[in-house]
Amino acid sequence: MKPSDFIHPEDAAALRQLESIPGFPALVKKFYALGYEKLLYGTNMAKAIRLSERQLPRLYHHLPPICRKLGIDEPEFYLEMNPMPNAYTFGDTKIFITMTSGLVELLNDEELDAVLAHECGHILCRHVLYHNMANMLINGADALGVLGLLTAPIKLALLYWQRKSELSCDRAGAIVTSPETVSRVMVRLAGGPKSITEEVNIEEWAKQADMYETIRTDGMWNKTLQTYAVMSTDHPFAAVRVREILKWAQSAEYAALMKNLPSGSSVGVCPQCHRKVEEDWKFCRYCGTQLG
C-alpha cells in the first residue's frame, strides 16, 4: 500500500507548505544531530515493557497482521503504565510504538486494532520524524528564550500539519478495521468507557462538527478565536475526525480501495479463545496460543 492510496488532501497540502518554509531543511538536519531519537529510544527501553511472542503475547499479536496488511516493517512495540489512554510512535531510524495501560483498559480488541493501524499509518506515510520534531519544539522552545521565539513559526506550521496528518491515519485505521470502529474509538476517547458511551449516536455526534464549522466561520473574529483555540494542539477535535472519516467512508475512493485490498484467508477458530484466526498466523493474536 502507498500513502497516496489514502492520504487526506489537507495533509498533503499542509506538508507541501511546511517543507517550503525557509530554513526547514537545516532544522531537520539539526534535529538528527542532537541525538534526540537515541535519547527517547533508550528511555523508553528502560521504563516500558517491550511486547513480543514471549512477553504479553495477547497484546503483541495485535500488531503483526496490521503491519502485513499495510505493507510496513514491524516496529518495536511497548506497553507503558499510564492511566491516560494514549498511543504514540517515535523514531526515524529506530521506530517504536508505545501504548498506555489506560488505552488497553478503555478499548476492545477491534478498537485497539484501529489505534495501532492509525499509528502504523504514521509510519507508512513517514510522518514520524516531523511529529517528533514538533514535540521537541513544543517541549523545548520555551527553554530557549529568544531562540525559542525564532522557532515559533516552524512549530506552529508543524502543529498545523500534524493535525491534518491525523486525518490520513484515521483512514489507515478504517482500512484495517472499519470507519465505524474508528468512530467508536473517538467516542471512547471523548466520552469515556463503553459502559457510558455504548449507546452514543455517532451520526448525531458528527453533526456537532458541522455546528462547530458554522461557529468557526461566522465572521473574522470567530475565525480568529477558533484558530487561536487549536493552533497549539497536535490533534483535531474528535467530532471533526468522526465527520471526516464517515464522509470518506461514503466516497468512491474508499470503496475502490477496499475492493482491491487483499484479505487474509480464514481457516477456523483459535482452540483456546475460539476467535477467528487467519491462514498466516503462527499465534492467536487475541490470546497468544500457538496455532497448528
Side-chain angles (χ1 to χ4, degrees), residues 242-254:
V242 169
R243 180 191 62 184
E244 288 296 311
I245 202 63
L246 293 181
K247 185 190 305 180
W248 190 58
Q250 300 301 315
S251 69
E253 178 187 11
Y254 176 72

Side-chain angles (χ1 to χ4, degrees), residues 50-64 77 283-290:
R50 183 176 177 181
L51 306 181
S52 70
E53 292 179 352
R54 298 182 303 277
Q55 186 67 273
L56 300 178
R58 186 189 69 81
L59 286 177
Y60 165 72
H61 283 112
H62 279 269
L63 183 61
F77 188 18
F283 295 84
C284 175
R285 63 184 291 179
Y286 302 108
C287 69
T289 299
Q290 187 167 357

